[in-house]
Amino acid sequence: MQVSHAQSTGATLPAVMTSQTLAGYTVAGFDEQEQSKFVDVVETNLYNMYGPVNFVITGITSGSVVLDTTTTFLTGRSDYASSYVQTLQSGTTSSVYGSYAVSVNTGNVTQSSVENPQAGRSCD
């Protein structure tokens, strides 16, 4: 069975919003380069599980590095978003975060719909 990773052209897409604590970093040490590496690891792992996603850090809180993130499922498949929620809530997240030590606030995992970040883009 071949899995299609075609991107949806819908106006809204399923998304998962969550908060996670990233161990071993300070806010100052989690600079743009480190943020980019983290996003790349997570997007690559999620792509391997669900196809194209848009993983965005939407906020960083000091203390331990606490990240608020939104993951948008560009295929439009809400079942993938539901599966991702289950993965996050299970506490077994190494498939998502790789070697990063991350603790997910499971009480703060929500599934919703967001505006398609690809809407209005041309494929030219």
Side-chain angles (χ1 to χ4, degrees):
M1 178 177 159
Q2 187 170 358
V3 177
S4 171
H5 291 304
Q7 294 187 22
S8 173
T9 57
T12 61
L13 296 173
V16 174
M17 286 68 85
T18 191
S19 178
Q20 55 267 308
T21 301
L22 184 59
Y25 287 91
T26 63
V27 172
F30 195 62
D31 58 17
E32 286 185 29
Q33 183 177 3
E34 288 300 320
Q35 291 174 39
S36 180
K37 287 180 189 177
F38 180 75
V39 168
D40 287 347
V41 165
V42 174
E43 278 193 336
T44 297
N45 291 339
L46 290 176
Y47 179 86
N48 291 334
M49 294 168 28
Y50 305 113
V53 300
N54 184 38
F55 180 83
V56 177
I57 297 172
T58 57
I60 301 175
T61 306
S62 61
S64 297
V65 175
V66 179
L67 305 175
D68 295 322
T69 60
T70 299
T71 305
T72 306
F73 292 80
L74 301 177
T75 58
R77 301 231 0 219
S78 60
D79 58 325
Y80 285 174
S82 296
S83 177
Y84 181 49
V85 167
Q86 291 175 350
T87 297
L88 293 173
Q89 291 177 333
S90 75
T92 309
T93 59
S94 63
S95 61
V96 175
Y97 299 111
S99 62
Y100 286 94
V102 175
S103 174
V104 175
N105 178 348
T106 58
N108 195 20
V109 177
T110 58
Q111 184 175 340
S112 186
S113 293
V114 297
E115 185 175 329
N116 185 344
Q118 306 293 321
R121 288 191 184 173
S122 172
C123 293
D124 295 339

